[in-house]
Amino acid sequence: MAATALAPVLSPVLAAAQAEKKPWWLGDGMPQESSGTPKIASAISLGDGVTDKEIRGLVQIGVYHALSGGPKIPWEVNELQPIVDKLKANGVQLGNLMIAGFTNTLYGRPGRDEEIEKVKHSIETAGKVGVPVVEYNFYAHRAMEGYFGETGRGGAGLTGSDYDRMKNLPPLPEEGAHTLSEMWANITYFLKAVIPAAEKSNVRLALHPNDPPYPLSRGSQQIMGTVAGWKHLITIVDSPSNGITFDCGVTREMGEDPVTVCQYFGSRDRINHVHYRNPHVMKPYVKYDEGFIDEGDVNMLAVMRELVKLKYTREVYPEHPRAIDYDRERGPIPGYPGGGGYAGNLYDIAYAKAMLQAALLLERH
């Protein structure tokens, strides 16, 4: 039945495949990523540049788009260009760098203008070396204290999140407590300064939503903890350079419909990056777990189909892999409790690639 249903779309698939240069080993049976499709991406470490081993680890599993945390600001061409060039020489595009290091800006403190100049310089550098997206956070406090490890199928590690574990924690002295009005004022000041630089550099900014989306985090309210907040963000400066990281997982954690939210921002060309994962939600905003990508509350195929329909062409990052024994046996796994390593990441990427191919087939039918 599946073969019969998909047969009518194989001719356009073949035509599309033949229109683009491809490696000799790539057949014609399934559609592949192209300039007009979403790009499945994976994270790499730039702590020591980028190693041949890391590049092979991407390409061997069919990933040709990478993202990473950026260096200390301000970024310079001479530190980023060799990395971009080495990746490109091996067929990999560095599509997203995370920027950080502007705490005074975050809290509206003295010294923020100097930080903003460093951020602007870094955005300009990204444009010069060909990095199209710069991602950032604007948390008053990220409520990591609410995470804990859980055990899933066959003893695999899951990540639980429960607001009750941290809701009474006091503000940290170095952070303080901040209201929504304060944080909106601070990010407005930031965006009005940096978005013009991003536009001139042909770079898009992507603000990650609050994750976890708890209502109050060590005394601070969170501007990106609701879809209403996401919608307000993109009105502060009306520009494709002022967009979001659409996270279908966070969307469901807040009790919202990921496909509807994806359509809202995608139709306005304000999705500049995508996080692709699948939580199971017990109570919106405050209690959920992050399990395997194939068993949560999100219709992952419907999300991918919407991205394809919207003609979204930037990166899709299947993040937060689960801890499985294969990775555990190879040493400690850093990061989230219950989080995994390379093999867990491979599982998520393979699933995401299958969803992309299915979405492309269905869209062409």
Side-chain angles (χ1 to χ4, degrees):
M1 288 176 63
T4 302
L6 295 180
V9 303
L10 290 181
S11 293
V13 170
L14 289 171
Q18 291 167 356
E20 296 192 12
K21 186 178 180 181
K22 62 181 183 179
W24 64 265
W25 58 80
L26 193 60
D28 296 328
M30 295 296 288
Q32 303 294 330
E33 287 181 5
S34 70
S35 58
T37 73
K39 315 295 191 300
I40 305 301
S42 188
I44 58 172
S45 173
L46 300 182
D48 298 310
V50 59
T51 66
D52 292 337
K53 181 179 179 180
E54 275 203 290
I55 294 173
R56 286 168 61 87
L58 292 182
V59 177
Q60 285 180 357
I61 60 175
V63 173
Y64 305 99
H65 297 269
L67 62 143
S68 187
K72 182 179 179 180
I73 59 173
W75 301 345
E76 301 294 349
V77 170
N78 61 4
E79 62 183 339
L80 292 186
Q81 193 70 66
I83 294 167
V84 171
D85 289 347
K86 183 173 182 178
L87 287 167
K88 187 176 180 179
N90 288 275
V92 179
Q93 164 76 37
L94 182 59
N96 180 343
L97 278 179
M98 174 71 77
I99 196 167
F102 43 95
T103 307
N104 293 326
T105 305
L106 184 65
Y107 299 122
R109 295 171 179 165
R112 68 176 174 177
D113 289 332
E114 292 82 357
E115 287 179 346
I116 287 173
E117 287 304 311
K118 292 179 180 180
V119 171
K120 289 166 64 177
H121 181 84
S122 300
I123 291 169
E124 291 163 358
T125 297
K128 289 175 182 176
V129 303
V131 175
V133 175
V134 172
E135 191 177 11
Y136 68 109
N137 289 310
F138 218 87
Y139 298 104
H141 174 78
R142 186 173 187 189
M144 300 289 287
E145 301 91 336
Y147 287 128
F148 59 98
E150 289 189 312
T151 301
R153 64 194 192 200
L158 312 184
T159 302
S161 180
D162 191 341
Y163 184 47
D164 284 343
R165 297 173 68 94
M166 62 84 59
K167 67 181 181 181
N168 295 320
L169 294 178
L172 296 173
E174 65 272 22
E175 292 178 348
H178 303 273
T179 64
L180 280 179
S181 60
E182 285 180 72
M183 297 304 295
W184 280 124
N186 294 343
I187 199 167
T188 297
Y189 188 91
F190 174 74
L191 290 173
K192 289 186 175 180
V194 303
I195 293 300
E199 290 174 330
K200 291 178 182 177
S201 302
N202 197 30
V203 170
R204 290 175 176 241
L205 299 190
L207 177 55
H208 192 283
N210 277 75
D211 184 28
Y214 298 156
L216 198 68
S217 187
R218 282 192 177 268
S220 289
Q221 295 177 296
Q222 305 290 347
I223 58 175
M224 291 293 281
T226 64
V227 170
W230 304 2
K231 291 179 177 179
H232 178 62
L233 176 89
I234 65 172
T235 68
I236 294 172
V237 180
D238 185 12
S239 168
S241 287
N242 178 30
I244 67 165
T245 293
F246 168 65
D247 188 320
C248 60
V250 175
T251 306
R252 179 55 73 194
E253 290 164 13
M254 298 188 300
E256 302 277 357
D257 176 24
V259 174
T260 300
V261 174
C262 180
Q263 200 282 331
Y264 181 91
F265 289 95
S267 65
R268 290 161 174 78
D269 194 21
R270 296 299 183 270
I271 297 178
N272 292 342
H273 185 55
V274 173
H275 283 180
Y276 193 67
R277 59 184 181 82
N278 196 358
H280 170 55
V281 181
M282 294 77 162
K283 186 175 181 181
Y285 294 99
V286 296
K287 189 171 183 176
Y288 59 90
D289 68 51
E290 297 185 37
F292 284 92
I293 194 170
D294 60 337
E295 61 181 17
D297 294 333
V298 179
N299 184 331
M300 302 301 283
L301 178 57
V303 170
M304 190 65 79
R305 288 193 72 184
E306 190 62 31
L307 291 169
V308 169
K309 288 177 184 177
L310 291 165
K311 302 188 186 306
Y312 173 80
T313 60
R314 287 171 286 279
E315 292 187 343
V316 174
Y317 176 32
E319 61 166 357
H320 299 183
R322 300 295 94 221
I324 57 178
D325 289 348
Y326 185 89
D327 286 326
R328 289 167 171 156
E329 290 163 2
R330 280 152 180 77
I333 303 173
Y336 293 91
Y342 182 79
N345 192 45
L346 171 58
Y347 185 93
D348 288 353
I349 285 169
Y351 185 91
K353 286 170 69 70
M355 292 295 100
L356 175 58
Q357 290 183 320
L360 291 172
L361 287 171
L362 290 167
E363 184 63 16
R364 292 169 181 174
H365 181 59

